[in-house]
């Protein structure tokens, strides 16, 4: 698996995109260079998802870009985004030893940058022009997705591993890249969003790929009961996403619509079963405490005492004590 990733055909094209962007100066590369605090300066660098599962993974995560802290630490998964995704997987029953198999990542912009305040400078247009442009030898994304979604452990399956498209920027890339697979709105623009799913063929693949749109894994920590879509809705969506990936990870031949419908009925219902309701509530309390100031035990205990009713209740002290940090 490793040689093609660092070859001219994949890694070389990512590097070509980075070099061409750098050649354009700060109009393209790191427009905020020189700004930011001493502890959080605006630094960019090429960073491909190395050191992740490459042979036995069960899914591929399509994300926007990796946070620079991951490059500094030499650890792609040691960040708040991935820790929350791990909690979602555990919440739907993925065994702890299997968690990392659901953390193979492809970024539409393989550029490590500060974890906040950078999205506007790493737009979908940049991904399409510099990392998915065969004309200029910058076609990194599609070959990487083809390679990562069909590792040795999946060779015998008739489809690739599922690709989950996380967050608005990755979703925008996906719906423009594969626009012929989606309905269009009144302005003839493709419609594809969170929990939309299907099967399509990625450029260069000889197998169909199951896919789903999803919230960015860390988006929930910025939600509460008054926001849109609201903390409960986003928890349900994220648990549906995790359930979908677990289903296809454990039973790869499950039809995409069957996997989605089963997970959607479990998690998106207005009347979830008591166990699921407790999981939704517990995750909501943890996320509203902003990066886990409330432990699972504290949140679970509070939910049990408050009939899993997050909104309209007096929230636990572990949230109240953390307001200043937000």
């Amino acid at each position: 698996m490793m040689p093609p990733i660092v070859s001219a055909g994949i890694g070389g094209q990512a590097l070509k995109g980075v070099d061409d962007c750098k050649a354009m100066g700060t109009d393209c590369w790191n427009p905020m260079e020189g700004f930011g605090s001493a502890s959080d300066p605006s630094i960019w660098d090429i960073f491909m998802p190395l050191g992740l599962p490459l042979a036995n993974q069960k899914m591929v995560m399509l994300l926007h870009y990796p946070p620079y802290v991951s490059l500094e630490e030499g650890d792609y998964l040691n960040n708040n985004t991935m820790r929350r995704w791990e909690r979602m997987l555990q919440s739907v029953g993925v065994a702890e030893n299997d968690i990392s198999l659901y953390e193979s990542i492809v970024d539409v912009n393989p550029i490590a940058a500060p974890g906040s305040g950078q999205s506007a400078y790493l737009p979908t247009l940049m991904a399409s022009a510099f990392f998915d442009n065969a004309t200029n030898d910058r076609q990194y994304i599609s070959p990487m997705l083809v390679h990562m979604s069909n590792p040795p452990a999946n060779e015998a399956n008739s489809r690739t591993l599922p690709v989950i498209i996380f967050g608005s920027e990755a979703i925008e890339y996906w719906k423009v890249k594969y626009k012929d697979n989606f309905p269009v709105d009144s302005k003839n623009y493709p419609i594809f969003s969170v929990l939309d799913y299907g099967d399509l063929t990625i450029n260069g693949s000889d197998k169909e790929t199951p896919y789903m749109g999803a919230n960015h894994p860390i988006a929930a920590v910025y939600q509460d009961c008054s926001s849109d879509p609201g903390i409960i809705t986003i928890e349900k969506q994220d648990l549906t996403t995790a359930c979908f990936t677990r289903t296809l990870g454990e039973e790869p031949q499950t039809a995409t619509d069957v996997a989605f419908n089963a997970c959607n009925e479990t998690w998106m219902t207005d009347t979830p079963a008591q166990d699921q309701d407790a999981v939704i509530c517990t995750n909501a309390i943890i996320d509203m405490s902003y990066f886990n100031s409330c432990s699972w035990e504290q949140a679970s205990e509070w939910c049990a005492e408050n009939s899993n009713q997050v909104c309209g209740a007096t929230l636990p002290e572990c949230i109240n004590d953390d307001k200043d940090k937000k």
Side-chain angles (χ1 to χ4, degrees), residues 21 25-38 40-44 65 111-123 126:
C21 182
T26 55
D27 287 341
C28 179
W29 183 262
N30 197 5
M32 292 298 290
E33 185 175 4
F35 291 86
S37 65
D40 189 25
S42 184
I43 303 173
W44 285 20
Y65 72 93
I111 298 170
S116 62
Q118 299 289 300
S119 292
Y121 308 113
L122 293 157
M126 180 181 184

PDB file of all heavy atoms in Angstrom, residues 21 25-38 40-44 65 111-123 126:
ATOM      1  N   CYS A  21       1.138  25.984  -6.038  1.00  0.00           N
ATOM      2  CA  CYS A  21       0.447  26.974  -5.212  1.00  0.00           C
ATOM      3  C   CYS A  21       1.463  27.923  -4.570  1.00  0.00           C
ATOM      4  O   CYS A  21       1.273  29.145  -4.551  1.00  0.00           O
ATOM      5  CB  CYS A  21      -0.389  26.269  -4.155  1.00  0.00           C
ATOM      6  SG  CYS A  21      -1.362  27.360  -3.093  1.00  0.00           S
ATOM      7  N   GLY A  25       2.675  32.554  -4.671  1.00  0.00           N
ATOM      8  CA  GLY A  25       2.836  33.461  -3.541  1.00  0.00           C
ATOM      9  C   GLY A  25       1.656  33.419  -2.602  1.00  0.00           C
ATOM     10  O   GLY A  25       0.852  32.483  -2.616  1.00  0.00           O
ATOM     11  N   THR A  26       1.533  34.446  -1.785  1.00  0.00           N
ATOM     12  CA  THR A  26       0.492  34.458  -0.751  1.00  0.00           C
ATOM     13  C   THR A  26      -0.912  34.655  -1.319  1.00  0.00           C
ATOM     14  O   THR A  26      -1.879  34.590  -0.557  1.00  0.00           O
ATOM     15  CB  THR A  26       0.780  35.543   0.296  1.00  0.00           C
ATOM     16  OG1 THR A  26       0.933  36.806  -0.349  1.00  0.00           O
ATOM     17  CG2 THR A  26       2.041  35.219   1.074  1.00  0.00           C
ATOM     18  N   ASP A  27      -1.037  34.894  -2.613  1.00  0.00           N
ATOM     19  CA  ASP A  27      -2.381  34.882  -3.206  1.00  0.00           C
ATOM     20  C   ASP A  27      -2.977  33.481  -3.143  1.00  0.00           C
ATOM     21  O   ASP A  27      -4.194  33.315  -3.188  1.00  0.00           O
ATOM     22  CB  ASP A  27      -2.328  35.346  -4.667  1.00  0.00           C
ATOM     23  CG  ASP A  27      -2.093  36.835  -4.795  1.00  0.00           C
ATOM     24  OD1 ASP A  27      -2.323  37.548  -3.804  1.00  0.00           O
ATOM     25  OD2 ASP A  27      -1.677  37.268  -5.885  1.00  0.00           O
ATOM     26  N   CYS A  28      -2.113  32.475  -3.044  1.00  0.00           N
ATOM     27  CA  CYS A  28      -2.566  31.078  -2.983  1.00  0.00           C
ATOM     28  C   CYS A  28      -2.105  30.410  -1.694  1.00  0.00           C
ATOM     29  O   CYS A  28      -2.901  29.844  -0.962  1.00  0.00           O
ATOM     30  CB  CYS A  28      -2.047  30.308  -4.194  1.00  0.00           C
ATOM     31  SG  CYS A  28      -2.515  28.551  -4.229  1.00  0.00           S
ATOM     32  N   TRP A  29      -0.797  30.508  -1.406  1.00  0.00           N
ATOM     33  CA  TRP A  29      -0.203  29.745  -0.307  1.00  0.00           C
ATOM     34  C   TRP A  29      -0.136  30.574   0.972  1.00  0.00           C
ATOM     35  O   TRP A  29       0.518  31.604   1.028  1.00  0.00           O
ATOM     36  CB  TRP A  29       1.187  29.265  -0.694  1.00  0.00           C
ATOM     37  CG  TRP A  29       1.837  28.422   0.365  1.00  0.00           C
ATOM     38  CD1 TRP A  29       2.741  28.810   1.302  1.00  0.00           C
ATOM     39  CD2 TRP A  29       1.585  27.028   0.605  1.00  0.00           C
ATOM     40  NE1 TRP A  29       3.080  27.754   2.114  1.00  0.00           N
ATOM     41  CE2 TRP A  29       2.385  26.649   1.711  1.00  0.00           C
ATOM     42  CE3 TRP A  29       0.759  26.071   0.002  1.00  0.00           C
ATOM     43  CZ2 TRP A  29       2.399  25.346   2.213  1.00  0.00           C
ATOM     44  CZ3 TRP A  29       0.773  24.784   0.508  1.00  0.00           C
ATOM     45  CH2 TRP A  29       1.576  24.420   1.592  1.00  0.00           C
ATOM     46  N   ASN A  30      -0.832  30.105   2.006  1.00  0.00           N
ATOM     47  CA  ASN A  30      -0.771  30.684   3.341  1.00  0.00           C
ATOM     48  C   ASN A  30      -0.940  32.207   3.344  1.00  0.00           C
ATOM     49  O   ASN A  30      -0.021  32.946   3.736  1.00  0.00           O
ATOM     50  CB  ASN A  30       0.541  30.308   4.028  1.00  0.00           C
ATOM     51  CG  ASN A  30       0.484  30.522   5.541  1.00  0.00           C
ATOM     52  OD1 ASN A  30      -0.551  30.866   6.087  1.00  0.00           O
ATOM     53  ND2 ASN A  30       1.604  30.315   6.208  1.00  0.00           N
ATOM     54  N   PRO A  31      -2.103  32.698   2.942  1.00  0.00           N
ATOM     55  CA  PRO A  31      -2.329  34.154   2.920  1.00  0.00           C
ATOM     56  C   PRO A  31      -2.189  34.824   4.285  1.00  0.00           C
ATOM     57  O   PRO A  31      -1.960  36.034   4.357  1.00  0.00           O
ATOM     58  CB  PRO A  31      -3.771  34.270   2.399  1.00  0.00           C
ATOM     59  CG  PRO A  31      -4.028  33.002   1.683  1.00  0.00           C
ATOM     60  CD  PRO A  31      -3.255  31.960   2.425  1.00  0.00           C
ATOM     61  N   MET A  32      -2.323  34.046   5.367  1.00  0.00           N
ATOM     62  CA  MET A  32      -2.238  34.623   6.713  1.00  0.00           C
ATOM     63  C   MET A  32      -0.843  34.493   7.322  1.00  0.00           C
ATOM     64  O   MET A  32      -0.650  34.731   8.504  1.00  0.00           O
ATOM     65  CB  MET A  32      -3.257  33.951   7.630  1.00  0.00           C
ATOM     66  CG  MET A  32      -4.702  34.255   7.278  1.00  0.00           C
ATOM     67  SD  MET A  32      -5.066  36.018   7.435  1.00  0.00           S
ATOM     68  CE  MET A  32      -5.001  36.189   9.221  1.00  0.00           C
ATOM     69  N   GLU A  33       0.148  34.143   6.494  1.00  0.00           N
ATOM     70  CA  GLU A  33       1.505  33.997   7.015  1.00  0.00           C
ATOM     71  C   GLU A  33       1.959  35.284   7.703  1.00  0.00           C
ATOM     72  O   GLU A  33       1.787  36.388   7.178  1.00  0.00           O
ATOM     73  CB  GLU A  33       2.474  33.653   5.889  1.00  0.00           C
ATOM     74  CG  GLU A  33       3.883  33.363   6.362  1.00  0.00           C
ATOM     75  CD  GLU A  33       4.788  32.905   5.229  1.00  0.00           C
ATOM     76  OE1 GLU A  33       4.341  32.889   4.065  1.00  0.00           O
ATOM     77  OE2 GLU A  33       5.941  32.548   5.528  1.00  0.00           O
ATOM     78  N   GLY A  34       2.516  35.121   8.896  1.00  0.00           N
ATOM     79  CA  GLY A  34       2.956  36.288   9.655  1.00  0.00           C
ATOM     80  C   GLY A  34       1.933  36.797  10.627  1.00  0.00           C
ATOM     81  O   GLY A  34       2.238  37.657  11.459  1.00  0.00           O
ATOM     82  N   PHE A  35       0.702  36.291  10.536  1.00  0.00           N
ATOM     83  CA  PHE A  35      -0.349  36.683  11.466  1.00  0.00           C
ATOM     84  C   PHE A  35      -0.541  35.580  12.507  1.00  0.00           C
ATOM     85  O   PHE A  35       0.009  34.503  12.410  1.00  0.00           O
ATOM     86  CB  PHE A  35      -1.664  36.937  10.718  1.00  0.00           C
ATOM     87  CG  PHE A  35      -1.623  38.158   9.845  1.00  0.00           C
ATOM     88  CD1 PHE A  35      -1.134  38.090   8.547  1.00  0.00           C
ATOM     89  CD2 PHE A  35      -2.064  39.378  10.321  1.00  0.00           C
ATOM     90  CE1 PHE A  35      -1.091  39.210   7.738  1.00  0.00           C
ATOM     91  CE2 PHE A  35      -2.025  40.509   9.524  1.00  0.00           C
ATOM     92  CZ  PHE A  35      -1.530  40.425   8.227  1.00  0.00           C
ATOM     93  N   GLY A  36      -1.360  35.869  13.485  1.00  0.00           N
ATOM     94  CA  GLY A  36      -1.625  34.902  14.543  1.00  0.00           C
ATOM     95  C   GLY A  36      -0.740  35.144  15.742  1.00  0.00           C
ATOM     96  O   GLY A  36       0.232  35.906  15.704  1.00  0.00           O
ATOM     97  N   SER A  37      -1.074  34.480  16.825  1.00  0.00           N
ATOM     98  CA  SER A  37      -0.321  34.640  18.066  1.00  0.00           C
ATOM     99  C   SER A  37       0.957  33.816  18.012  1.00  0.00           C
ATOM    100  O   SER A  37       1.126  32.940  17.158  1.00  0.00           O
ATOM    101  CB  SER A  37      -1.175  34.201  19.248  1.00  0.00           C
ATOM    102  OG  SER A  37      -1.447  32.810  19.161  1.00  0.00           O
ATOM    103  N   ALA A  38       1.850  34.084  18.944  1.00  0.00           N
ATOM    104  CA  ALA A  38       3.097  33.325  19.004  1.00  0.00           C
ATOM    105  C   ALA A  38       2.841  31.848  19.262  1.00  0.00           C
ATOM    106  O   ALA A  38       3.584  30.982  18.804  1.00  0.00           O
ATOM    107  CB  ALA A  38       4.000  33.907  20.088  1.00  0.00           C
ATOM    108  N   ASP A  40       0.053  30.283  18.320  1.00  0.00           N
ATOM    109  CA  ASP A  40      -0.764  29.710  17.243  1.00  0.00           C
ATOM    110  C   ASP A  40      -0.539  30.487  15.951  1.00  0.00           C
ATOM    111  O   ASP A  40      -1.443  31.112  15.410  1.00  0.00           O
ATOM    112  CB  ASP A  40      -2.254  29.739  17.634  1.00  0.00           C
ATOM    113  CG  ASP A  40      -3.116  28.951  16.643  1.00  0.00           C
ATOM    114  OD1 ASP A  40      -2.572  28.049  15.988  1.00  0.00           O
ATOM    115  OD2 ASP A  40      -4.320  29.248  16.545  1.00  0.00           O
ATOM    116  N   PRO A  41       0.699  30.456  15.435  1.00  0.00           N
ATOM    117  CA  PRO A  41       0.989  31.198  14.208  1.00  0.00           C
ATOM    118  C   PRO A  41       0.377  30.506  12.992  1.00  0.00           C
ATOM    119  O   PRO A  41       0.027  29.334  13.055  1.00  0.00           O
ATOM    120  CB  PRO A  41       2.520  31.162  14.137  1.00  0.00           C
ATOM    121  CG  PRO A  41       2.881  29.877  14.828  1.00  0.00           C
ATOM    122  CD  PRO A  41       1.868  29.719  15.931  1.00  0.00           C
ATOM    123  N   SER A  42       0.250  31.243  11.903  1.00  0.00           N
ATOM    124  CA  SER A  42      -0.280  30.659  10.675  1.00  0.00           C
ATOM    125  C   SER A  42       0.863  29.982   9.931  1.00  0.00           C
ATOM    126  O   SER A  42       1.682  30.630   9.284  1.00  0.00           O
ATOM    127  CB  SER A  42      -0.933  31.732   9.800  1.00  0.00           C
ATOM    128  OG  SER A  42      -1.520  31.141   8.659  1.00  0.00           O
ATOM    129  N   ILE A  43       0.935  28.664  10.059  1.00  0.00           N
ATOM    130  CA  ILE A  43       1.963  27.866   9.397  1.00  0.00           C
ATOM    131  C   ILE A  43       1.271  26.825   8.517  1.00  0.00           C
ATOM    132  O   ILE A  43       0.333  26.170   8.956  1.00  0.00           O
ATOM    133  CB  ILE A  43       2.856  27.148  10.434  1.00  0.00           C
ATOM    134  CG1 ILE A  43       3.498  28.162  11.385  1.00  0.00           C
ATOM    135  CG2 ILE A  43       3.928  26.320   9.729  1.00  0.00           C
ATOM    136  CD1 ILE A  43       4.250  27.507  12.526  1.00  0.00           C
ATOM    137  N   TRP A  44       1.752  26.683   7.288  1.00  0.00           N
ATOM    138  CA  TRP A  44       1.243  25.654   6.387  1.00  0.00           C
ATOM    139  C   TRP A  44       2.387  24.731   5.979  1.00  0.00           C
ATOM    140  O   TRP A  44       3.536  25.142   5.910  1.00  0.00           O
ATOM    141  CB  TRP A  44       0.667  26.273   5.115  1.00  0.00           C
ATOM    142  CG  TRP A  44      -0.674  26.942   5.239  1.00  0.00           C
ATOM    143  CD1 TRP A  44      -1.270  27.386   6.380  1.00  0.00           C
ATOM    144  CD2 TRP A  44      -1.546  27.267   4.165  1.00  0.00           C
ATOM    145  NE1 TRP A  44      -2.473  27.961   6.083  1.00  0.00           N
ATOM    146  CE2 TRP A  44      -2.673  27.913   4.734  1.00  0.00           C
ATOM    147  CE3 TRP A  44      -1.507  27.079   2.794  1.00  0.00           C
ATOM    148  CZ2 TRP A  44      -3.748  28.362   3.960  1.00  0.00           C
ATOM    149  CZ3 TRP A  44      -2.560  27.535   2.016  1.00  0.00           C
ATOM    150  CH2 TRP A  44      -3.674  28.161   2.593  1.00  0.00           C
ATOM    151  N   TYR A  65      -8.837  19.433   5.691  1.00  0.00           N
ATOM    152  CA  TYR A  65      -7.385  19.526   5.811  1.00  0.00           C
ATOM    153  C   TYR A  65      -6.994  19.124   7.227  1.00  0.00           C
ATOM    154  O   TYR A  65      -7.805  19.219   8.151  1.00  0.00           O
ATOM    155  CB  TYR A  65      -6.887  20.941   5.485  1.00  0.00           C
ATOM    156  CG  TYR A  65      -7.219  21.985   6.538  1.00  0.00           C
ATOM    157  CD1 TYR A  65      -6.316  22.300   7.559  1.00  0.00           C
ATOM    158  CD2 TYR A  65      -8.441  22.662   6.515  1.00  0.00           C
ATOM    159  CE1 TYR A  65      -6.619  23.253   8.523  1.00  0.00           C
ATOM    160  CE2 TYR A  65      -8.751  23.621   7.471  1.00  0.00           C
ATOM    161  CZ  TYR A  65      -7.833  23.904   8.471  1.00  0.00           C
ATOM    162  OH  TYR A  65      -8.144  24.839   9.437  1.00  0.00           O
ATOM    163  N   ILE A 111      -2.794  19.734   3.297  1.00  0.00           N
ATOM    164  CA  ILE A 111      -1.973  20.823   3.822  1.00  0.00           C
ATOM    165  C   ILE A 111      -2.258  20.973   5.307  1.00  0.00           C
ATOM    166  O   ILE A 111      -3.397  21.262   5.699  1.00  0.00           O
ATOM    167  CB  ILE A 111      -2.286  22.154   3.102  1.00  0.00           C
ATOM    168  CG1 ILE A 111      -1.967  22.043   1.609  1.00  0.00           C
ATOM    169  CG2 ILE A 111      -1.522  23.299   3.750  1.00  0.00           C
ATOM    170  CD1 ILE A 111      -2.474  23.223   0.796  1.00  0.00           C
ATOM    171  N   ALA A 112      -1.259  20.781   6.123  1.00  0.00           N
ATOM    172  CA  ALA A 112      -1.414  21.039   7.552  1.00  0.00           C
ATOM    173  C   ALA A 112      -1.458  22.547   7.768  1.00  0.00           C
ATOM    174  O   ALA A 112      -0.593  23.280   7.284  1.00  0.00           O
ATOM    175  CB  ALA A 112      -0.252  20.432   8.327  1.00  0.00           C
ATOM    176  N   ALA A 113      -2.476  23.015   8.486  1.00  0.00           N
ATOM    177  CA  ALA A 113      -2.675  24.443   8.739  1.00  0.00           C
ATOM    178  C   ALA A 113      -3.325  24.585  10.108  1.00  0.00           C
ATOM    179  O   ALA A 113      -3.813  23.603  10.677  1.00  0.00           O
ATOM    180  CB  ALA A 113      -3.560  25.056   7.646  1.00  0.00           C
ATOM    181  N   PRO A 114      -3.343  25.804  10.678  1.00  0.00           N
ATOM    182  CA  PRO A 114      -3.997  25.984  11.976  1.00  0.00           C
ATOM    183  C   PRO A 114      -5.410  25.422  11.973  1.00  0.00           C
ATOM    184  O   PRO A 114      -6.118  25.474  10.952  1.00  0.00           O
ATOM    185  CB  PRO A 114      -3.993  27.502  12.165  1.00  0.00           C
ATOM    186  CG  PRO A 114      -2.780  27.953  11.408  1.00  0.00           C
ATOM    187  CD  PRO A 114      -2.717  27.053  10.207  1.00  0.00           C
ATOM    188  N   GLY A 115      -5.822  24.902  13.114  1.00  0.00           N
ATOM    189  CA  GLY A 115      -7.096  24.188  13.188  1.00  0.00           C
ATOM    190  C   GLY A 115      -8.321  25.059  13.130  1.00  0.00           C
ATOM    191  O   GLY A 115      -9.436  24.550  13.030  1.00  0.00           O
ATOM    192  N   SER A 116      -8.170  26.367  13.184  1.00  0.00           N
ATOM    193  CA  SER A 116      -9.329  27.253  13.080  1.00  0.00           C
ATOM    194  C   SER A 116      -8.935  28.509  12.304  1.00  0.00           C
ATOM    195  O   SER A 116      -7.759  28.866  12.238  1.00  0.00           O
ATOM    196  CB  SER A 116      -9.855  27.635  14.471  1.00  0.00           C
ATOM    197  OG  SER A 116      -8.864  28.335  15.200  1.00  0.00           O
ATOM    198  N   GLY A 117      -9.925  29.145  11.709  1.00  0.00           N
ATOM    199  CA  GLY A 117      -9.699  30.392  11.001  1.00  0.00           C
ATOM    200  C   GLY A 117      -9.030  30.259   9.650  1.00  0.00           C
ATOM    201  O   GLY A 117      -8.595  31.258   9.065  1.00  0.00           O
ATOM    202  N   GLN A 118      -8.930  29.044   9.118  1.00  0.00           N
ATOM    203  CA  GLN A 118      -8.219  28.835   7.851  1.00  0.00           C
ATOM    204  C   GLN A 118      -9.114  28.373   6.710  1.00  0.00           C
ATOM    205  O   GLN A 118      -8.679  28.345   5.561  1.00  0.00           O
ATOM    206  CB  GLN A 118      -7.101  27.817   8.049  1.00  0.00           C
ATOM    207  CG  GLN A 118      -6.058  28.236   9.055  1.00  0.00           C
ATOM    208  CD  GLN A 118      -5.166  29.358   8.574  1.00  0.00           C
ATOM    209  OE1 GLN A 118      -4.479  29.233   7.564  1.00  0.00           O
ATOM    210  NE2 GLN A 118      -5.182  30.469   9.297  1.00  0.00           N
ATOM    211  N   SER A 119     -10.353  28.003   6.996  1.00  0.00           N
ATOM    212  CA  SER A 119     -11.203  27.381   5.977  1.00  0.00           C
ATOM    213  C   SER A 119     -11.343  28.238   4.729  1.00  0.00           C
ATOM    214  O   SER A 119     -11.336  27.732   3.603  1.00  0.00           O
ATOM    215  CB  SER A 119     -12.585  27.075   6.556  1.00  0.00           C
ATOM    216  OG  SER A 119     -12.501  26.065   7.532  1.00  0.00           O
ATOM    217  N   ALA A 120     -11.458  29.555   4.915  1.00  0.00           N
ATOM    218  CA  ALA A 120     -11.659  30.437   3.765  1.00  0.00           C
ATOM    219  C   ALA A 120     -10.460  30.439   2.825  1.00  0.00           C
ATOM    220  O   ALA A 120     -10.595  30.758   1.639  1.00  0.00           O
ATOM    221  CB  ALA A 120     -11.934  31.860   4.249  1.00  0.00           C
ATOM    222  N   TYR A 121      -9.283  30.063   3.347  1.00  0.00           N
ATOM    223  CA  TYR A 121      -8.069  30.085   2.538  1.00  0.00           C
ATOM    224  C   TYR A 121      -7.745  28.726   1.938  1.00  0.00           C
ATOM    225  O   TYR A 121      -6.758  28.583   1.224  1.00  0.00           O
ATOM    226  CB  TYR A 121      -6.893  30.580   3.387  1.00  0.00           C
ATOM    227  CG  TYR A 121      -7.195  31.885   4.071  1.00  0.00           C
ATOM    228  CD1 TYR A 121      -7.305  31.961   5.460  1.00  0.00           C
ATOM    229  CD2 TYR A 121      -7.418  33.047   3.326  1.00  0.00           C
ATOM    230  CE1 TYR A 121      -7.609  33.156   6.087  1.00  0.00           C
ATOM    231  CE2 TYR A 121      -7.719  34.253   3.948  1.00  0.00           C
ATOM    232  CZ  TYR A 121      -7.816  34.298   5.328  1.00  0.00           C
ATOM    233  OH  TYR A 121      -8.123  35.486   5.949  1.00  0.00           O
ATOM    234  N   LEU A 122      -8.562  27.729   2.241  1.00  0.00           N
ATOM    235  CA  LEU A 122      -8.395  26.383   1.694  1.00  0.00           C
ATOM    236  C   LEU A 122      -9.721  25.954   1.057  1.00  0.00           C
ATOM    237  O   LEU A 122     -10.320  24.955   1.458  1.00  0.00           O
ATOM    238  CB  LEU A 122      -7.982  25.413   2.802  1.00  0.00           C
ATOM    239  CG  LEU A 122      -6.584  25.648   3.391  1.00  0.00           C
ATOM    240  CD1 LEU A 122      -6.476  25.049   4.789  1.00  0.00           C
ATOM    241  CD2 LEU A 122      -5.517  25.047   2.479  1.00  0.00           C
ATOM    242  N   PRO A 123     -10.205  26.693   0.051  1.00  0.00           N
ATOM    243  CA  PRO A 123     -11.544  26.451  -0.489  1.00  0.00           C
ATOM    244  C   PRO A 123     -11.610  25.242  -1.415  1.00  0.00           C
ATOM    245  O   PRO A 123     -10.585  24.669  -1.810  1.00  0.00           O
ATOM    246  CB  PRO A 123     -11.815  27.739  -1.277  1.00  0.00           C
ATOM    247  CG  PRO A 123     -10.452  28.167  -1.744  1.00  0.00           C
ATOM    248  CD  PRO A 123      -9.521  27.816  -0.610  1.00  0.00           C
ATOM    249  N   MET A 126      -9.602  25.496  -4.564  1.00  0.00           N
ATOM    250  CA  MET A 126      -8.185  25.172  -4.410  1.00  0.00           C
ATOM    251  C   MET A 126      -7.974  23.666  -4.526  1.00  0.00           C
ATOM    252  O   MET A 126      -7.051  23.200  -5.196  1.00  0.00           O
ATOM    253  CB  MET A 126      -7.681  25.671  -3.063  1.00  0.00           C
ATOM    254  CG  MET A 126      -6.205  25.391  -2.809  1.00  0.00           C
ATOM    255  SD  MET A 126      -5.732  26.006  -1.170  1.00  0.00           S
ATOM    256  CE  MET A 126      -3.973  25.670  -1.191  1.00  0.00           C
TER     257      MET A 126
END
